[in-house]
Amino acid sequence: MIKKYEIFKNITLFRFGDPFKTGAVVVDVDQINFKEVKDIYLFDKNVGLDKVVFNKTLSAGDSIYGLGENLGSLNKRGKIYRCYSSDDFLHTPEKEALYGSHPFFIIDGDETVGVFIDSPSEIKIDAGFKDTNLLSIEVSSTDIDLYIFRSKNKIDIIGSFLSLVGTPYIPPKWAFGYQQCRWSYPNRETVESIGNQFRSLDIPCDVIYLDIDYMKDYKVFTVDENKFPDFEDFIAKMLEKGFKIAPIIDPGVKIEDGYEVYEEGKSKGYFCKKENGLDFVGTVWPGATCYPDFANSKVREWWGGLYEEMVKSGICAFWNDMNEPAIFFTPDGLKNFYSLVDKIKEKKDPGFDFFSIKDAVNGLSNKREDYQSFFHNLDDGKVICHDKIHNLYGFFMALATSDGLKKLLGNKRYLLLSRSSYIGAHRFTSIWMGDNQSWWEHIIVNIRMLQSLNMCGFFYTGADIGGFGCNSSAELVIRWSQLGIFSPLFRNHSALGTRNQEPWAFDSATTDIIRDIIKFRYALIPYIYSEYLKSIINSRCLILPVSFVFDDPILKNIEDQFMFGESIMAAPIYTPNSGGRYVTLPDVKWLCWKVKNFDDRDVSIYNPGSYFINCELDETLTFVKENSIVVLTRPQNYVGEKKITELLAVAFVTDRASYMYYDDDGETYDFQKGKFINLNIFIEKSDGDYEVYFNDEESAEYKNDIRTIKFEIYDENGRVFTKIISR
Ligand code: GLC
């Protein structure tokens, strides 16, 4: 039976059966009077015993956008995708699923519609792979909420989607600073010396991460005192130098008698169970572990409370990893593997059996059968197989963490990264894009994913800059860091055993270039923070494909340039040894600023069109839209080091431009009580010169420190006009 409800004018919900309440949606749809219907708009459907298949014929010109954290092009057409969260560290193009499950997409063509399938088990989306003209979606459940969004405009569809699933998470302002990570900085001394290097080399940095080796035997919520003596003192000293420390927290709890977290979880029955009632056991970093039953609110509350000691020591940044959840192998899986090997051992000539061993080893990890073999105890007493709600494990873990942090930190904001996620998690956590590789091909993957994840509500996100697996080259880290400037989360991270890739890990010329890149990022923080907050207030993605913003068919398949806020278009370089790239400049004139250093200006003006633009290794291509303004400041060692009293407005104005600069304390939730400023900056061309002024919508609650704005205004001939206003 299908029921239909018009939620808002342009959002229709079709309900199949009795869906699991995922928590993705913030609108309370349970109180409403549904109308029974036979058919659904948009799709042909085929309801089976344990699945529903939705089909839609695609026209030649239809594009499909969205699906969040996924591979494939920006236009998702022509590939199969699978929402079944997976710890897959090799992001090769044929892969169908990564860590997050984000079943929201837009079909854009003859008509433009958004589709969100709220169902937490496996969803396969064939976007015209088997049959070029068919979109076929197989949901492995008959209990589904299917939302359809209608509007001619893709940006409005995303806005409606966000009105349904809630507004994105707001990190502290310092989370827009540069962040350094590595698996693993092994001890206190190393982390301190990393911090000192940043300061002595004059490279800004705000956050340093602790990967799994800070723990005692990988036991979550423990610290190895031998490696990190006097942990509280260590955190305090790093904070004094302007560094936030962000430890990793994995879900797997090591099975070890006497280990408090394990003992408590076990005695209270907080771990996922097998059918026979025993705790489900899988192996991850600590060895044999149990998996907290995050689908249960009591367990989430317990887990959230476990952060207390770390928070007390001054930590307000964490990353939740391995929460698909990752399972390297289970005891049963291993037993079966050994018996296969034993059988093969008996053969004189194993021949091709070698490959079955290889496949069997790979097949041990993250197996569907393992996910089908354990259960969750829900709040209402019902027991549900993990496989049915698999895609929510990371969502619930991050929810446990964020609820815990909100309680422990009160009015102070936190930074949280989660590897796995589901739609709705964007309200309380950010995600990073998992284990990419130091491959050039993964820069363009990063560029596409930033756009697709923004469409699904994950505005604050980013990839491991420089690449996680494999050895990075200096050139790769430089080009990738240039993209990092336009990535809300700008974190350099690399895997155990790979070459170091901190800004100073190569040669001094590379260090100089990366320093300038990071300084430019810091110079842009007033713009980035202002644009981020406004994107949330207006439910409009911070990062948008150019084709969503400008209406020109030529832009349709441009996926390697994107709008970053209202004034900037980024066009990162993502191929090696390139002295530049092709750029399509839509609709208006553009100021092309090749940024070597936030203080130099190498600018030129372009009319709309396609161009090859030269760009040296030490230059970041930054395009400023005609009649728009970018606000900058002098970079600091870390966000908040000094009060910002002066802004620099770099503008490209052929007629008039205005910019609303938003700011707040960057640390608390007081902005919700009106403690923020909107500073309106205006530039108007008149008689071959420019008039500039600004006015405040300063609330009585929040004091604006800005005293001076320096203007650097470029006209259509690239001539610069400078002005200063103070108050
Ligand atoms: C996983 C994470 C990676 C981390 C590693 C060790 O592979 O994705 O970021 O460094 O585990 O904890």
Side-chain angles (χ1 to χ4, degrees):
M1 192 215 298
I2 314 168
K3 292 179 290 180
K4 175 180 163 186
Y5 182 72
E6 302 283 338
I7 298 193
F8 302 122
K9 212 173 64 226
N10 50 357
I11 310 178
T12 312
L13 163 61
F14 294 96
R15 174 162 286 183
F16 292 70
D18 180 19
F20 184 86
K21 289 183 184 52
T22 60
V25 165
V26 290
V27 175
D28 187 0
V29 289
D30 290 314
Q31 310 304 325
I32 53 194
N33 292 321
F34 284 96
K35 212 167 73 192
E36 272 185 36
V37 288
K38 282 219 171 65
D39 261 313
I40 50 169
Y41 161 78
L42 197 68
F43 291 107
D44 292 329
K45 61 170 193 323
N46 191 340
V47 182
L49 274 182
D50 55 1
K51 65 178 182 193
V52 182
V53 178
F54 299 99
N55 285 331
K56 177 178 167 30
T57 306
L58 296 171
S59 328
D62 284 345
S63 301
I64 295 172
Y65 299 104
L67 293 177
E69 187 181 53
N70 236 309
L71 297 160
S73 51
L74 183 68
N75 174 357
K76 296 287 163 204
R77 199 155 166 187
K79 187 175 150 57
I80 296 180
Y81 306 89
R82 192 167 159 248
C83 292
Y84 196 77
S85 299
S86 169
D87 166 29
D88 190 333
F89 64 93
L90 210 54
H91 306 174
T92 43
E94 82 289 1
K95 293 294 169 63
E96 295 173 356
L98 292 176
Y99 314 88
S101 293
H102 308 129
F104 168 69
F105 57 89
I106 297 171
I107 307 169
D108 184 35
D110 295 344
E111 57 179 333
T112 301
V113 285
V115 178
F116 170 40
I117 304 151
D118 191 8
S119 182
S121 185
E122 186 192 49
I123 303 172
K124 284 188 210 149
I125 299 159
D126 180 337
F129 179 76
K130 284 190 194 131
D131 175 345
T132 322
N133 297 320
L134 187 70
L135 167 66
S136 181
I137 303 162
E138 187 182 310
V139 187
S140 61
S141 169
T142 50
D143 301 309
I144 303 162
D145 273 345
L146 170 74
Y147 296 88
I148 293 181
F149 306 82
R150 261 169 296 179
S151 165
K152 284 208 172 77
N153 183 311
K154 297 183 277 296
I155 297 177
D156 290 346
I157 287 184
I158 298 170
S160 302
F161 171 65
L162 290 175
S163 67
L164 186 75
V165 298
T167 50
Y169 151 83
I170 300 178
K173 196 192 261 184
W174 48 260
F176 293 92
Y178 176 80
Q179 310 186 21
Q180 186 65 54
C181 190
R182 175 156 181 93
W183 176 20
S184 276
Y185 296 130
N187 50 37
R188 173 173 177 164
E189 219 186 330
T190 311
V191 179
E192 285 172 342
S193 95
I194 294 283
N196 293 340
Q197 299 238 54
F198 275 106
R199 295 297 178 249
S200 67
L201 291 169
D202 185 26
I203 301 173
C205 177
D206 267 83
V207 186
I208 303 180
Y209 285 74
L210 301 183
D211 208 324
I212 47 176
D213 294 286
Y214 79 89
M215 292 181 255
K216 176 99 183 83
D217 303 327
Y218 305 133
K219 285 182 283 192
V220 280
F221 301 109
T222 68
V223 173
D224 189 330
E225 277 290 324
N226 290 324
K227 301 188 215 160
F228 286 86
D230 205 351
F231 196 65
E232 257 184 54
D233 176 69
F234 159 66
I235 301 296
K237 295 260 160 64
M238 294 304 288
L239 279 172
E240 267 166 33
K241 292 181 194 155
F243 294 104
K244 310 287 185 295
I245 295 293
I248 195 168
I249 300 285
D250 290 347
V253 175
K254 185 176 174 64
I255 300 178
E256 185 182 279
D257 291 340
Y259 165 37
E260 237 173 88
V261 179
Y262 171 66
E263 296 274 8
E264 192 180 356
K266 186 169 176 62
S267 67
K268 294 194 168 146
Y270 284 169
F271 298 129
C272 293
K273 304 264 181 296
K274 293 200 292 192
E275 204 167 7
N276 61 11
L278 296 176
D279 290 339
F280 170 76
V281 178
T283 290
V284 208
W285 306 122
T289 61
C290 288
Y291 292 80
D293 185 356
F294 293 122
N296 186 293
S297 64
K298 266 203 202 119
V299 180
R300 290 201 296 273
E301 209 182 321
W302 166 64
W303 190 263
L306 296 175
Y307 286 85
E308 187 171 359
E309 251 183 69
M310 293 219 181
V311 168
K312 273 192 183 149
S313 66
I315 299 176
C316 49
F318 293 92
W319 52 318
N320 286 173
D321 191 18
M322 309 301 274
N323 51 0
E324 295 68 34
I327 303 172
F328 295 164
F329 57 85
T330 57
D332 285 346
L334 202 61
K335 226 196 281 162
N336 295 339
F337 171 72
Y338 287 146
S339 63
L340 173 79
V341 174
D342 284 342
K343 261 192 228 149
I344 294 172
K345 262 195 332 213
E346 280 157 22
K347 294 192 177 175
K348 251 200 192 142
D349 176 6
F352 288 130
D353 285 332
F354 161 76
F355 291 105
S356 42
I357 297 184
K358 232 174 138 185
D359 291 347
V361 174
N362 290 334
L364 280 174
S365 304
N366 311 315
K367 256 186 7 194
R368 185 85 187 259
E369 296 86 78
D370 287 334
Y371 294 128
Q372 284 162 340
S373 77
F374 65 91
F375 297 83
H376 297 272
N377 280 300
L378 303 177
D379 288 0
D380 60 6
K382 285 194 189 129
V383 172
I384 190 166
C385 175
H386 172 80
D387 181 61
K388 297 262 171 248
I389 57 165
H390 173 72
N391 293 338
L392 286 172
Y393 195 80
F395 172 101
F396 281 136
M397 180 189 185
L399 182 62
T401 305
S402 80
D403 284 349
L405 293 180
K406 279 177 197 159
K407 262 193 212 155
L408 294 165
L409 288 164
N411 194 26
K412 197 168 162 190
R413 288 183 233 169
Y414 60 87
L415 170 63
L416 176 61
L417 307 191
S418 173
R419 196 171 68 176
S420 187
S421 61
Y422 182 74
I423 298 287
H426 69 287
R427 298 191 302 268
F428 47 82
T429 186
S430 64
I431 58 173
W432 88 101
M433 299 168 188
D435 298 348
N436 58 7
Q437 305 283 325
S438 297
W439 297 341
W440 286 94
E441 291 77 359
H442 275 180
I443 305 189
I444 182 72
V445 167
N446 182 170
I447 295 172
R448 294 176 186 133
M449 236 186 247
L450 279 172
Q451 298 170 75
S452 304
L453 274 169
N454 262 250
M455 292 175 209
C456 293
F458 293 89
F459 291 5
Y460 181 90
T461 181
D464 288 350
I465 297 290
F468 176 74
C470 303
N471 293 326
S472 209
S473 67
E475 187 194 1
L476 182 73
V477 177
I478 290 173
R479 288 304 193 193
W480 214 326
S481 301
Q482 290 166 348
L483 165 62
I485 296 171
F486 307 110
S487 175
L489 166 67
F490 184 1
R491 183 181 82 146
N492 174 318
H493 182 35
S494 53
L496 189 72
T498 61
R499 183 180 188 184
N500 287 350
Q501 62 185 43
E502 290 79 13
W504 53 85
F506 301 91
D507 48 60
S508 63
T510 303
T511 310
D512 291 344
I513 296 174
I514 297 179
R515 176 190 301 108
D516 283 338
I517 291 170
I518 296 177
K519 283 198 167 180
F520 182 47
R521 161 67 172 225
Y522 275 74
L524 273 180
I525 283 179
Y527 173 79
I528 297 175
Y529 189 71
S530 170
E531 289 302 296
Y532 188 81
L533 267 289
K534 284 190 296 178
S535 71
I536 287 168
I537 294 162
N538 301 326
S539 288
R540 180 189 161 100
C541 305
L542 174 73
I543 289 175
L544 277 168
V546 280
S547 66
F548 282 30
V549 179
F550 300 97
D551 190 17
D552 182 342
I554 199 177
L555 304 172
K556 188 174 161 194
N557 291 316
I558 291 190
E559 53 180 30
D560 59 356
Q561 302 169 209
F562 57 85
M563 289 304 295
F564 183 66
E566 68 181 61
S567 311
I568 292 181
M569 184 176 68
I573 294 209
Y574 54 92
T575 50
N577 306 313
S578 65
R581 57 161 287 174
Y582 283 96
V583 177
T584 298
L585 300 173
D587 207 34
V588 291
K589 290 191 167 72
W590 294 83
L591 176 91
C592 170
W593 179 10
K594 294 181 186 172
V595 187
K596 266 196 187 2
N597 173 300
F598 75 96
D599 249 349
D600 312 326
R601 300 290 179 269
D602 173 353
V603 299
S604 33
I605 309 295
Y606 285 84
N607 285 317
S610 293
Y611 304 89
F612 183 87
I613 299 190
N614 295 324
C615 178
E616 298 299 323
L617 185 60
D618 58 353
E619 293 174 333
T620 301
L621 285 181
T622 306
F623 291 91
V624 180
K625 200 174 74 181
E626 184 176 0
N627 292 322
S628 69
I629 302 172
V630 177
V631 285
L632 301 100
T633 184
R634 294 204 72 76
Q636 309 190 357
N637 283 313
Y638 55 92
V639 174
E641 185 188 15
K642 295 174 209 138
K643 261 191 192 159
I644 297 178
T645 55
E646 185 179 294
L647 287 179
L648 168 67
V650 172
F652 171 36
V653 184
T654 59
D655 179 16
R656 65 182 62 186
S658 64
Y659 185 76
M660 193 180 89
Y661 169 65
Y662 171 96
D663 197 19
D664 59 28
D665 67 20
E667 286 274 348
T668 71
Y669 296 99
D670 285 351
F671 63 89
Q672 290 166 345
K673 300 181 213 139
K675 294 192 181 180
F676 60 84
I677 53 150
N678 284 328
L679 185 69
N680 292 298
I681 304 172
F682 301 93
I683 304 177
E684 231 175 298
K685 198 167 185 186
S686 77
D687 298 334
D689 197 0
Y690 289 92
E691 276 176 28
V692 295
Y693 52 102
F694 66 86
N695 62 39
D696 261 356
E697 288 169 25
E698 192 175 46
S699 71
E701 310 283 337
Y702 184 75
K703 219 175 81 40
N704 174 6
D705 295 321
I706 306 294
R707 292 284 154 263
T708 309
I709 303 185
K710 283 189 176 161
F711 289 84
E712 234 180 67
I713 308 161
Y714 293 87
D715 73 1
E716 56 271 49
N717 302 312
R719 271 183 313 174
V720 64
F721 297 73
T722 50
K723 315 257 158 202
I724 296 186
I725 39 177
S726 300
R727 50 176 207 162

